Amino acid sequence: MSDEVKVPVDGPVPEWAMRYNASDYPPHAVTGDAVALALDTAGAPCTLRALLVERGGVPYHGLDAWPGGFMEWNADHDTRQAAIRELREETGVEAPEFVEALGSYSRNGRDPRQFAGYRDQATGEWIARGARVTTAAYLMLTRDPHGVSAPAGADDAARAHWADVYDYLPWEDLRDEGRLARLRRVVEALDGWAHTAPDGVERVRELFGLREWNEERTPERWALLMEAGLVPEARRDRWGTVQARAEDALFGREMAFDHRQILADALGRVRGKIKYTPAALMALTGPEATLDELQAACEAIAGRPLHRSNFRRAVAPAEHGKSRAPRIVARTGTRRPRQGRGPGVAPELYRFLPEAMRARLDTSIRFPWLHLAPDDSA
């Protein structure tokens, strides 16, 4: 703690307050992390990106992490305010309108600074000086990363940058055959572990099998890879160091602390929210988009392809038709100017309906996903 907290002492002070001493209990610290995601529509295919900082200090020097830091004892009202402040200080990016609590992370040893200390030269006694660190992560959804101010690192962040989410969770993107082939390699790597773990074969088939694929179960797939010891984070010692393996490259880029778990949780959350909270999708696409742009956005978030004509009926069914699908967008009567002078009709713009923004959909959108594999695949 930096400065002593100034507390008014006018009036009687309860007896318990004068007896209580925080040093009688194990030390704890609290941080706030900003999990900011945006869609990059500049290239093809559309890409879901995360705003990350490269750590300039220890532990985990050089690894990517979420912008975040310790609560300021006097200044921060809560962890949400701490996360927003750290986002601004470490990246130069202001918090977007869509912010919600993602989760609290308190696993023992998640931050190696918990074990900091020194050995007394006179007595040989270990003097502990660390504190167990709990973080509160906040999901923040914003617009195209090319439309925000350029991030500039600060504090213990060497630099800030937008990165492809699937560089860290590559098995979660199944939009083409090359990515599907990578998933199959991950499943092959799990095979040896699966045949020795309780219900291992069934769990791998349930979570990683293409016929049973559920895009929202991202956190469970990450937990299984951790249990199997296939990702570097599963093999770290208490100081956060790990012996690298050649096969680690198959499983994406390592992140500091437990921040890949936080990313997996965030991705699973967003994949679910676009089905029943149109405000979450609009936060990433903006209030107006063509139907092709909306489809590309949903595919980038879910990591799987959609049936084009059925997608259009799912998000913008005919006003007087018999469809039970919830309408979340409607025609604007205007068109997106075409890039270049090639043939074709300029695509029509659709706007998110105000009534769809204000509440959770009673009936979630049933996205028409394309099959990921033939019926006889595992």
Side-chain angles (χ1 to χ4, degrees):
M1 300 177 186
S2 53
D3 301 325
E4 182 180 351
V5 181
K6 303 298 188 298
V7 179
V9 293
D10 295 339
V13 178
E15 183 181 351
W16 67 262
M18 292 186 287
R19 293 197 315 267
Y20 179 83
N21 187 343
S23 63
D24 294 337
Y25 304 92
H28 283 76
V30 179
T31 61
D33 285 327
V35 184
L37 303 178
L39 285 172
D40 186 350
T41 59
C46 179
T47 305
L48 183 64
R49 295 191 178 273
L51 180 54
L52 303 172
V53 295
E54 179 187 320
R55 285 188 57 79
V58 291
Y60 301 120
H61 179 270
L63 291 186
D64 287 335
W66 298 111
F70 293 96
M71 288 185 65
E72 291 189 354
W73 189 251
N74 291 320
D76 292 329
H77 177 71
D78 53 22
T79 51
R80 184 181 189 275
Q81 185 175 346
I84 291 173
R85 174 182 53 77
E86 290 286 343
L87 177 71
R88 181 178 61 253
E89 292 177 357
E90 293 190 341
T91 72
V93 174
E94 297 291 337
E97 292 183 4
F98 192 101
V99 179
E100 71 173 31
L102 177 63
S104 177
Y105 299 83
S106 57
R107 179 180 54 81
N108 190 27
R110 60 173 300 275
D111 189 326
R113 289 170 290 191
Q114 171 183 341
F115 307 110
Y118 66 97
R119 194 171 301 282
D120 187 282
Q121 294 184 353
T123 65
E125 180 184 2
W126 178 258
I127 309 299
R129 295 198 300 186
R132 186 166 175 175
V133 182
T134 294
T135 197
Y138 290 85
L139 178 64
M140 303 182 184
L141 304 180
T142 187
R143 297 288 305 281
D144 188 331
H146 297 283
V148 299
S149 59
D155 297 331
D156 59 354
R159 69 184 182 100
H161 61 108
W162 289 98
D164 188 337
V165 162
Y166 300 116
D167 286 347
Y168 305 88
L169 304 174
W171 58 87
E172 293 293 335
D173 189 3
L174 308 177
R175 286 178 288 172
D176 58 44
E177 182 53 42
R179 294 176 171 94
L180 284 167
R182 183 162 186 160
L183 174 67
R184 295 187 183 101
R185 292 172 60 200
V186 169
V187 174
E188 290 173 3
L190 279 163
D191 185 66
W193 170 86
H195 283 86
T196 60
D199 301 320
V201 174
E202 292 76 10
R203 291 158 64 195
V204 171
R205 183 181 296 114
E206 179 184 1
L207 290 173
F208 287 88
L210 291 177
R211 286 188 297 174
E212 294 82 15
W213 188 263
N214 182 335
E215 66 280 355
E216 294 183 46
R217 300 185 73 176
T218 309
E220 294 169 77
R221 284 188 283 272
W222 172 254
L224 193 69
L225 291 172
M226 284 285 289
E227 184 180 346
L230 292 176
V231 290
E233 288 89 332
R235 308 191 307 270
R236 289 171 175 167
D237 62 21
R238 66 165 50 194
W239 308 114
T241 58
V242 64
Q243 187 69 36
R245 298 176 180 174
E247 56 268 29
D248 286 344
L250 176 63
F251 299 97
R253 296 175 59 180
E254 181 185 0
M255 293 183 71
F257 308 104
D258 52 0
H259 287 195
R260 267 212 288 183
Q261 177 190 343
I262 295 175
L263 174 57
D265 290 350
L267 184 57
R269 172 78 65 86
V270 175
R271 287 175 167 183
K273 290 192 77 69
I274 63 172
K275 299 174 184 177
Y276 60 83
T277 308
L281 182 58
M282 188 185 75
L284 291 164
T285 65
E288 292 184 355
T290 69
L291 291 182
D292 282 344
E293 289 168 348
L294 285 177
Q295 178 177 338
C298 293
E299 290 176 336
I301 294 165
R304 57 187 305 185
L306 284 156
H307 188 282
R308 187 172 186 267
S309 58
N310 288 344
F311 171 79
R312 291 165 175 253
R313 285 191 286 268
V315 299
E319 295 186 34
H320 304 294
K322 297 181 180 180
S323 173
R324 298 178 61 186
R327 296 180 68 247
I328 65 170
V329 294
R331 287 186 166 93
T332 64
T334 60
R335 294 184 178 274
R336 173 86 72 200
R338 287 182 57 82
Q339 300 296 323
R341 299 182 179 180
V345 179
E348 186 173 4
L349 283 169
Y350 284 70
R351 175 177 288 274
F352 282 89
L353 296 169
E355 57 268 28
M357 296 298 101
R358 290 192 287 265
R360 184 186 191 279
L361 297 179
D362 291 333
T363 303
S364 64
I365 301 171
R366 299 187 65 179
F367 285 120
W369 305 118
L370 292 177
H371 292 300
L372 293 172
D375 291 339
D376 59 351
S377 66

